Amino acid sequence: MIRVAVTGAKGRMGSTVVAAVNSAPDMEVVAELDAGDPITAESVRGAAVAVDFSVPAVTEANVHALLDAGVDVVVGTTGWTEESYARVREHAEAAGRAVLIAPNFAMGAVLAMKFAALAAPYFESAEVIEMHHPGKVDAPSGTAVATARGIAKARAEAGLGQMPDATQTDELGSRGGRVEGIPVHAVRLRGLTASEEILLGNEGEQLVIRTDSFDRVSFMPGVLLGVRRVSGRTGLTIGLDQVMGL
């Protein structure tokens, strides 16, 4: 049995993780921690792996505390920067532990990001639209940022230049934010859970890759996969695809 601690355990995602782990035949939750609870070797109660679904403001601090507590960490909280990645990478390597940070644990979203990167070199234009419930605190989503970065990397490796866009004025920011040159648009709408559309265009054709999560349980197979595969690694791994053999 894999002993698991969950931080952010009382939140919407955290409570879903607790239920999913306890329902899995090969793992069990041994510690449920939330805001205000100390993260120490004692409070994780012998966990081998911790799952963090807290909030962006505290997730990095949680990961450092969990590494100090001697556990490997799977992170679903978004809002990470290159600087925070670097700090966690250095800490994990020094501690001889593993951290897996995934912008999305839904299998559809992970595959959509992969498909978008594969398709990107063959299209002149690409844009990303992410759509979430109005309770989400960060924008754009970590999934959209990762998707855009993957597209930009694939385009750069293919030697593609800037995308066609004759816009000269955009006082309202209607063209979206730019992630490494890729426009990213964020929608916050009551009734949504999590959706993403990746639009790729050429003269006379369009490819649309769309993924929808209708319930938080859609993320649980990916979370459980991460828990099973994080141990035995060292340092920082970014993206569930890295442990899926993609």
Side-chain angles (χ1 to χ4, degrees), residues 145-225:
V145 171
T147 302
R149 285 175 174 162
I151 291 171
K153 182 174 184 290
R155 287 177 56 86
E157 291 174 350
L160 300 182
Q162 291 187 344
M163 296 185 296
D165 187 349
T167 304
Q168 294 185 12
T169 60
D170 183 13
E171 294 180 0
L172 299 180
S174 303
R175 291 291 296 116
R178 297 271 174 164
V179 177
E180 298 184 18
I182 308 300
V184 177
H185 311 266
V187 175
R188 296 292 175 266
L189 191 70
R190 184 68 69 196
L192 291 173
T193 299
S195 299
E196 182 179 68
E197 282 191 354
I198 304 136
L199 310 178
L200 300 122
N202 277 333
E203 190 76 28
E205 70 167 334
Q206 182 185 48
L207 172 64
V208 178
I209 302 169
R210 175 163 176 142
T211 177
D212 297 280
S213 289
F214 304 110
D215 191 282
R216 291 175 181 84
V217 296
S218 66
F219 304 113
M220 294 306 107
V223 172
L224 299 183
L225 179 67

Side-chain angles (χ1 to χ4, degrees), residues 122-135:
Y122 304 101
F123 288 85
E124 281 190 79
S125 299
E127 305 211 7
V128 179
I129 305 170
E130 59 97 337
M131 298 162 279
H132 285 80
H133 58 89

Side-chain angles (χ1 to χ4, degrees), residues 20-46:
V21 170
N22 280 331
S23 296
D26 58 340
M27 59 186 75
E28 62 178 340
V29 174
V30 296
E32 298 180 34
L33 305 173
D34 210 79
D37 295 330
I39 299 175
T40 65
E42 292 74 26
S43 67
V44 299
R45 300 180 62 188

Side-chain angles (χ1 to χ4, degrees), residues 12 54-57 77-79 132-141 188:
R12 292 184 296 263
S54 54
V55 294
T77 311
T78 58
H132 285 80
H133 58 89
K136 185 172 177 57
V137 298
D138 59 324
S141 69
R188 296 292 175 266

